[in-house]
Amino acid sequence: MNEETRGRLTRDGIRIYEPGDYAGMHAAGKLAAQLLDEAAEHVWPGQTTAAIDDYIRARIEEEGATSATIGYKGYQHATCISVNHVVCHGIPGPKTLKDGDILNIDITVIVDGWYGDTSRMYVAGKLSRKAERLIQVTHDSLMVGIETVKPGNTFGDIGHAIQAYVESQRMSVVRDFCGHGLGRVFHAPPNVLHYGRAGTGPVLEEGMFFTIEPMVNLGRPETKVLADDWTAVTRDKSLSAQFEHSVGVTSDGADIFTLSPAGRFHPTYD
């Protein structure tokens, strides 16, 4: 069964997967999360983001999996690594991390045709108080969004919950990027906004698979994309953070496919 015939589509074009498909998503999500667990040992002041990417690329090959990002629209890396004021899609390279840098590592692997997509924050050296608070609020906003996932709620409910929480902490939610459906494809409907009005958007149904991946800025929400056509940064150069899980809707909530096997999803390993 291929993507075109698996499950059914809602009137909004969102695929509803079968109960047996959750196992495939768990396998892909577990590997992606495991590799991010391992990446924690490769983040330190003086390390390059290229070296972190090289490690993850090699591990994906060792595991017999495939990187979803190598070759995607011409991209040539196994990760996106976004440092400090880079919001997302940072390209690994030779620049070294400095003490106190915060970074998001985003990875998507393909295991037996299923896509596992997740990202989390890391710290090189000592964490500053303002960065620590940003990371905590961003992590908690993701979990607030996931708590909203259950049949009968809407995608607007997810976005509203995240936005309300973040803005209550006097930070801002990035509007220019969003989560997405996935399964046996990398990106599919719906767009999962991290802001919005409660009660709006498609209704959640059991069998939907998608990412929730809020990007939160200490300053204003506006971003710009650099000349490389990938790297997105905050316009005001304020710090930005992001966490991402892939989830499936169950009969009464959310099944998180990308839980950290080692409990290291948060950089303080809580």
Side-chain angles (χ1 to χ4, degrees), residues 27-40 55 59 63 107 118 120 122 258-262 264:
K30 182 179 180 180
L31 176 59
Q34 175 190 323
L35 296 178
L36 290 188
D37 284 351
E38 296 175 14
Y55 171 78
R59 288 288 294 117
E63 293 291 335
I107 180 174
T118 183
R120 67 180 80 155
Y122 300 80
T258 46
L259 289 173
S260 164
R264 303 184 102 179

Side-chain angles (χ1 to χ4, degrees), residues 48-177:
T48 68
T49 54
I52 299 170
D53 183 74
D54 287 344
Y55 171 78
I56 291 178
R57 179 195 297 253
R59 288 288 294 117
I60 291 171
E61 293 175 359
E62 287 175 8
E63 293 291 335
T66 303
S67 168
T69 55
I70 296 174
Y72 178 76
K73 295 184 177 180
Y75 195 75
Q76 293 301 317
H77 302 275
T79 61
C80 293
I81 303 181
S82 304
V83 182
N84 292 335
H85 73 291
V86 179
V87 175
C88 60
H89 304 158
I91 301 173
K95 189 174 181 179
T96 58
L97 298 172
K98 300 187 300 295
D99 186 43
D101 279 350
I102 62 172
L103 55 151
N104 175 275
I105 303 178
D106 190 343
I107 180 174
T108 307
V109 298
I110 310 170
V111 177
D112 295 329
W114 296 99
Y115 284 70
D117 188 0
T118 183
S119 81
R120 67 180 80 155
M121 296 301 295
Y122 300 80
V123 182
K126 185 177 181 180
L127 182 62
S128 72
R129 181 67 188 96
K130 67 177 183 178
E132 180 179 24
R133 185 165 176 269
L134 171 65
I135 287 170
Q136 189 66 54
V137 168
T138 308
H139 172 273
D140 292 349
S141 76
L142 169 61
M143 303 318 292
V144 164
I146 291 174
E147 287 171 5
T148 311
V149 175
K150 64 179 180 180
N153 281 354
T154 69
F155 282 95
D157 293 332
I158 299 172
H160 175 75
I162 292 170
Q163 180 183 10
Y165 175 74
V166 169
E167 293 180 353
S168 77
Q169 303 300 310
R170 301 192 176 192
M171 299 181 192
S172 64
V173 177
V174 170
R175 267 77 161 168
D176 298 331
F177 301 94

